[in-house]
Amino acid sequence: MTRTLYSLFFTLCMPLVLLRLLLRARKAPAYARRWHERLGLGGDLRPDGIWVHAVSVGETIAAAPMVRALLERYPQLPVTITCMTPTGSEQIRKLFGDRVGHAYLPYDLPWLQGRFISRLRPRIGVIMETELWPNMVHEAKAANVPLVLANARLSERSARGYQRVAWLVRPMFAALDWVAVQTQAEAQRFARLGVDQSAMSITGSIKFDLQPDPIVLEQAASLRGLWGDRPVWIAASTHGGEDEQVIAAHREVLALHPDALLILVPRHPERFSDVARLLESANLKFIRRSSGEIPMRADQVLLGDSMGELLMFYACSDAAFVGGSLIAHGGHNYLEPAALGLPIISGPHSFNFTEISELLEGAGALQRVQNQAELAGAVAHFLAEPKVARQAGAAGLSVVRDNQGALERLLEGIAVRLDRDAGIDSRH
């Protein structure tokens, strides 16, 4: 009955949902395309195989090593990846091309999810992190599709939000076949929301298993070589209200390091032009990555207005600020710069990655700042003291290496659920 009320409410809200999609399409035209997939129609679905759902870019990148391993271990099973955003869609095609099927996940109405599941007929569903929807889970279970929540994370803040609608989400969490959770603290939160302890394992985060692509590292070295011998720092995955602080901090850094280059990478593509205007207003000389130009000595900022190049930008840098943390967004993936041996700077808000940020901070790999002035000071210090920067970067790299192995544990758990279905064997 509770899910019925949720579905009724969702149905009544559909005009607003579609209006929001239309409004988003004004800044990001890709939202206006492929609407039929959001209604459970069309898409490149590859039935009778493995279904992976990764909501957007970050989850897709995190899922990539798992997907590659699944393609290798189960060559007889096609893989279909769904997402919710155009940037996620673009990332899927960039990473995998035609090796996987791909479509947008339909809106969470029972008849749309039922249509999608009946067309895809997955042997198993692997949902990344916490991208769960009540009707999606219900329709999958009704079709006897085992569901795995992979690399599962749940902040205290998100857990409190779920508790407010416990009447709706407890059956959803209880229906999961297996939850591969990152930490003990998160396991306790999932348990309070209805996940049975017997259906849960603490596997760690597969983001620790990030292995930078040698080709990306070669591209970064080549690009950095064209910029000359100058200090470079990156502000990655920044948000509105944060770019202004980063730009102001860079002006302070330039006072101490006149030849410093900032790589500024906004989180959302629809904000690229807005950030370009902020740079113009600040009278900073910048170029766009999309122009294909090489930063000259006089250029002070490289605006990273491209998709899928964040790891390469990190590899070009001497120090990294991870965005979403100077504002109350909760931070982004700290392990990408850590895996590349960079000293990391974060704002005070890292609740989306509490355990990971605290682990890195405790090891001396991450420095926390409260505001623009402290950000400028931290960047200037790392640029002025390469030995200190290298020590912090080495500490972060050690944290990453010491915590690897989650991917293999996740793959073993998926294999158990797949083997139950028609005795499928993986090829090791």
Side-chain angles (χ1 to χ4, degrees):
M1 183 63 181
T2 54
R3 194 174 50 80
T4 301
L5 291 174
Y6 159 79
S7 299
L8 177 60
F9 180 74
F10 202 128
T11 301
L12 293 174
C13 289
M14 277 301 292
L16 295 176
V17 171
L18 295 174
L19 177 62
R20 181 174 179 270
L21 195 66
L22 195 60
L23 291 174
R24 295 192 75 173
R26 294 172 64 183
K27 283 196 170 183
Y31 276 101
R33 306 186 193 112
R34 297 164 53 196
W35 281 36
H36 59 292
E37 294 178 21
R38 300 184 186 276
L39 301 176
L41 301 168
D44 177 17
L45 302 186
R46 304 190 183 178
D48 302 311
I50 300 170
W51 164 39
V52 176
H53 179 59
V55 61
S56 193
V57 175
E59 293 78 9
T60 300
I61 293 173
M66 177 193 73
V67 172
R68 293 190 188 101
L70 291 172
L71 288 168
E72 180 181 344
R73 295 185 182 202
Y74 302 98
Q76 75 277 32
L77 294 180
V79 174
T80 299
I81 308 178
T82 56
C83 70
M84 299 293 285
T85 68
T87 52
S89 177
E90 185 177 341
Q91 188 70 53
I92 290 166
R93 283 307 185 205
K94 181 167 185 173
L95 286 170
F96 301 107
D98 294 330
R99 295 179 68 199
V100 303
H102 167 56
Y104 287 131
L105 184 75
Y107 290 122
D108 196 44
L109 293 171
W111 49 92
L112 301 184
Q113 292 288 353
R115 175 189 296 159
F116 169 77
I117 296 293
S118 66
R119 291 177 59 225
L120 185 58
R121 302 189 305 274
R123 300 283 185 90
I124 192 170
V126 182
I127 316 300
M128 291 301 297
E129 301 195 355
T130 325
E131 184 60 17
L132 295 170
W133 295 91
N135 284 317
M136 174 185 75
V137 172
H138 176 81
E139 294 300 326
K141 296 307 294 181
N144 295 316
V145 177
L147 286 181
V148 168
L149 189 61
N151 209 43
R153 62 185 178 96
L154 186 64
S155 69
E156 188 62 47
R157 182 179 182 180
S158 296
R160 287 196 300 268
Y162 278 123
Q163 287 288 2
R164 286 194 284 271
V165 288
W167 53 272
L168 175 64
V169 301
R170 286 190 70 84
M172 176 182 75
F173 282 108
L176 298 172
D177 289 85
W178 186 50
V179 176
V181 69
Q182 295 187 24
T183 68
Q184 178 64 47
E186 287 164 314
Q188 292 172 354
R189 293 170 197 146
F190 277 111
R192 289 198 297 268
L193 287 169
V195 177
D196 193 283
Q197 292 283 2
S198 64
M200 189 158 43
S201 303
I202 299 170
T203 58
S205 173
I206 63 172
K207 291 182 178 180
F208 283 106
D209 290 277
L210 173 68
Q211 298 290 342
D213 189 332
I215 294 175
V216 171
L217 298 181
E218 289 174 14
Q219 291 172 339
S222 175
L223 192 61
R224 179 70 189 259
L226 297 173
W227 299 350
D229 184 19
R230 60 189 302 191
V232 180
W233 70 287
I234 183 172
S237 300
T238 57
H239 292 253
E242 199 167 44
D243 298 290
E244 296 87 345
Q245 298 181 70
V246 168
I247 290 169
H250 187 52
R251 294 182 67 87
E252 295 183 40
V253 170
L254 287 169
L256 298 171
H257 302 276
D259 58 343
L261 177 69
L262 163 65
I263 306 175
L264 179 52
V265 188
R267 177 69 174 177
H268 298 114
E270 57 266 29
R271 298 190 55 254
F272 290 159
S273 295
D274 293 340
V275 176
R277 284 190 286 271
L278 288 175
L279 291 168
E280 289 172 353
S281 299
N283 294 317
L284 288 173
K285 187 169 176 56
F286 73 97
I287 63 168
R288 290 174 175 260
R289 169 64 176 167
S290 60
S291 72
E293 298 176 30
I294 301 300
M296 306 303 290
R297 204 72 179 180
D299 293 314
Q300 297 162 312
V301 180
L302 172 62
L303 177 58
D305 62 343
S306 58
M307 292 301 300
E309 293 192 310
L310 182 58
L311 272 176
M312 185 186 71
F313 290 144
Y314 273 131
C316 288
S317 305
D318 300 309
F321 165 72
V322 178
S325 60
L326 276 176
I327 59 170
H329 181 82
H332 288 292
N333 186 3
Y334 296 98
L335 294 177
E336 290 173 334
L340 290 164
L342 292 182
I344 304 163
I345 305 166
S346 172
H349 306 286
S350 58
F351 52 80
N352 287 333
F353 296 87
T354 299
E355 289 79 9
I356 287 173
S357 63
E358 289 178 352
L359 193 61
L360 290 167
E361 188 176 14
L366 181 149
Q367 181 173 340
R368 205 175 292 275
V369 298
Q370 301 297 316
N371 50 45
Q372 149 201 326
E374 291 186 11
L375 171 60
V379 172
H381 179 63
F382 281 133
L383 297 185
E385 301 288 346
K387 183 177 179 181
V388 174
R390 286 194 297 272
Q391 288 173 342
L397 188 56
S398 293
V399 168
V400 171
R401 289 174 175 167
D402 289 346
N403 287 275
Q404 289 180 337
L407 177 59
E408 188 58 39
R409 290 188 286 272
L410 173 61
L411 291 169
E412 289 172 1
I414 291 173
V416 169
R417 277 80 198 169
L418 264 176
D419 290 347
R420 291 174 185 167
D421 180 18
I424 295 173
D425 292 321
S426 60
R427 185 181 69 181
H428 295 281

